[in-house]
Amino acid sequence: MTSSLGILVRKELSELRRDRRVLFLTLVLPVLLYPAVIGGMNRMEDQRSQELRAQALTVAVDGGSDQLLMMLSDDVSLRFIKRPRHTFESALDAAEISAGVVLPDEFSGPGAAAPDTVLIVSQLTRENGREARRRVEAGLRAWVAEERQARWVAAGGRGRPEDLL
């Protein structure tokens, strides 16, 4: 029994040695092909990301003070249009807008009973929806930082509020 198994293994190994195509396809080709495929996919993904970042996205806005809208409009990669909130969903489905933002008409000052709420509506399953949300959030964070700094200086603070931490 053992000798039959040995004969079979030797026969298979000799056939495998003779069949160079099998060796090439199983050992050499994957070593060369997989890194090229993965590198190509990464390059295509980076290119798509750059194209998306360069693309101007349309964002619908409901509410908001003129000061905040002007500050958000400084980002030339976003185009803001006024629309009522109830039209956001249909406009997102029709790809007329990339996101919708519901802003309070007037922001309450420091010490308000409840914090102001900003609602961003987008389809996160779409790349332009995720990108629009990211850009709007970045703009709002910049506005909050500027507003905090202005209030800090108006209250007599020196430097930046973050320096105290």
Side-chain angles (χ1 to χ4, degrees):
M1 174 95 172
T2 308
S3 63
S4 326
L5 184 61
I7 292 170
L8 182 63
V9 168
R10 281 193 300 276
K11 175 193 169 287
E12 291 297 324
L13 287 175
S14 67
E15 286 179 2
L16 186 60
R17 255 184 278 137
R18 277 186 264 142
D19 194 352
R20 292 182 184 151
R21 284 181 288 171
V22 171
L23 285 174
F24 179 76
L25 290 173
T26 58
L27 299 177
V28 177
L29 191 62
V31 170
L32 299 175
L33 189 62
Y34 289 152
V37 168
I38 292 170
M41 288 173 54
N42 286 340
R43 190 173 305 131
M44 286 189 317
E45 186 178 327
D46 290 343
Q47 182 180 6
R48 177 68 183 134
S49 271
Q50 289 173 357
E51 288 173 2
L52 186 61
R53 284 198 170 93
Q55 182 181 12
L57 300 174
T58 303
V59 177
V61 177
D62 185 17
S65 66
D66 292 335
Q67 175 191 8
L68 177 59
L69 289 175
M70 283 178 41
M71 191 275 187
L72 287 175
S73 297
D74 286 345
D75 185 353
V76 295
S77 68
L78 290 174
R79 188 171 64 91
F80 290 95
I81 57 174
K82 287 276 197 176
R83 263 209 173 149
R85 178 182 183 175
H86 63 85
T87 63
F88 286 1
E89 190 173 334
S90 61
L92 283 169
D93 289 340
E96 295 172 6
I97 62 173
S98 298
V101 181
V102 180
L103 298 169
D105 290 328
E106 291 296 323
F107 282 95
S108 55
D116 295 312
T117 302
V118 174
L119 175 67
I120 302 173
V121 180
S122 66
Q123 289 184 341
L124 297 178
T125 56
R126 295 184 181 168
E127 287 179 331
N128 63 352
R130 289 189 302 269
E131 181 65 17
R133 181 182 200 93
R134 185 191 66 76
R135 291 180 196 177
V136 169
E137 286 175 348
L140 289 170
R141 276 194 293 277
W143 180 79
V144 166
E146 285 180 18
E147 188 68 22
R148 181 184 305 132
Q149 181 65 28
R151 289 178 183 178
W152 174 256
V153 170
R158 297 176 200 257
R160 298 180 314 178
E162 295 87 26
D163 295 339
L164 296 176
L165 299 176

